[in-house]
Amino acid sequence: MYQTIQLRCQALANNFKEIPPERVALLDQLAQHISQKLQEGKPVNLIYVCTHNSRRSHLGQVWAKTAAKFYGFDVNTFSAGTEVTAFNPNAINALANAGFVIEKYKEGDNPHYKVFLGDGMYSECFSKTTIDDSLPKQNFIAVMTCGHADENCPFIPGTDLRIATTYNDPKAYDNTVLQDEKYTERSNQIAMECLYLFSKVKTKN
């Protein structure tokens, strides 16, 4: 893992007390489910879902993989939406500022990226719906990152757990003086909760 990301993880892991109790309860429920899968020797597949699969869901996908690695676990993380758009440049910048190395490997209206957290360790990020061929079709956990997707995607076939850890959309600050600050804030919030999640998985395994 790149040193900058390692240091960010260490700093965020020192501040779990900032996570509100109601969110701790949700994350504990998710940690219990992941721990059970690991104890049974089953793969862990996490799909982070948001309407446009452009911001929060990608941050979830990347930080969940990173947090798992930080605590010594290998899990499969993905993201999806109810509509196809593109991985938002402001979300990409927030990850780059956190220390990730981001490479575009497919051009177009919906570019494909590799987001590296270390040498040979990366997430493949592009916008897609929940029925995309690149996603697992069964035995996966759907983590809903926005209320709109949670309300408008009432059934996702193949899930063994669906849980809503929704986040405010940094899109509200696009093209304002607070844009970079708010995207970093959301990235750090998602990162901290992913780190807390896998810290709890660590204590159970």
Side-chain angles (χ1 to χ4, degrees):
M1 185 179 292
Y2 299 133
Q3 184 178 24
T4 303
I5 299 173
Q6 184 90 11
L7 292 173
R8 175 73 62 100
C9 289
Q10 290 169 353
L12 290 170
N14 289 329
N15 291 282
F16 289 155
K17 62 183 180 297
E18 296 179 7
I19 303 173
E22 64 273 15
R23 296 192 67 85
V24 166
L26 286 170
L27 295 167
D28 285 349
Q29 179 186 348
L30 181 53
Q32 180 61 42
H33 189 78
I34 291 172
S35 296
Q36 184 175 343
K37 279 184 164 292
L38 290 170
Q39 290 165 10
E40 294 172 354
K42 296 178 180 178
V44 176
N45 297 307
L46 292 160
I47 304 181
Y48 285 80
V49 183
C50 196
T51 302
H52 297 117
N53 189 203
S54 61
R55 295 170 175 83
R56 291 163 287 178
S57 49
H58 279 116
L59 293 174
Q61 174 189 356
V62 171
W63 277 117
K65 186 176 186 70
T66 303
K69 286 285 187 184
F70 183 75
Y71 285 104
F73 298 105
D74 284 313
V75 303
N76 304 311
T77 67
F78 310 87
S79 63
T82 57
E83 303 173 28
V84 174
T85 56
F87 191 2
N88 184 267
N90 294 326
I92 293 172
N93 288 340
L95 290 171
N97 290 336
F100 293 91
V101 174
I102 301 169
E103 297 180 2
K104 184 190 294 184
Y105 68 93
K106 183 178 179 181
E107 299 285 349
D109 293 336
N110 179 18
H112 292 212
Y113 300 86
K114 291 181 179 179
V115 180
F116 287 86
L117 61 108
D119 293 338
M121 297 183 288
Y122 62 87
S123 299
E124 292 193 34
C125 294
F126 62 97
S127 187
K128 69 194 79 65
T129 67
T130 56
I131 61 172
D132 191 84
D133 289 342
S134 66
L135 300 172
K137 298 297 181 285
Q138 58 184 358
N139 301 320
F140 64 88
I141 302 162
V143 184
M144 314 304 287
T145 59
C146 78
H148 183 271
D150 191 36
E151 294 167 5
N152 290 275
C153 198
F155 177 66
I156 302 177
T159 60
D160 49 50
L161 177 68
R162 173 187 169 135
I163 194 163
T165 60
T166 59
Y167 301 94
N168 291 333
D169 193 351
K171 180 182 180 180
Y173 297 93
D174 284 2
N175 303 313
T176 73
V177 294
L178 294 175
Q179 174 183 282
D180 292 345
E181 176 186 336
K182 291 299 182 179
Y183 272 84
T184 296
E185 181 182 292
R186 192 61 60 244
S187 176
N188 282 340
Q189 180 192 10
I190 293 171
M192 183 186 290
E193 293 193 358
C194 288
L195 286 159
Y196 173 82
L197 168 65
F198 282 99
S199 75
K200 298 299 288 186
V201 173
K202 184 78 170 179
T203 64
K204 296 175 186 295
N205 289 272

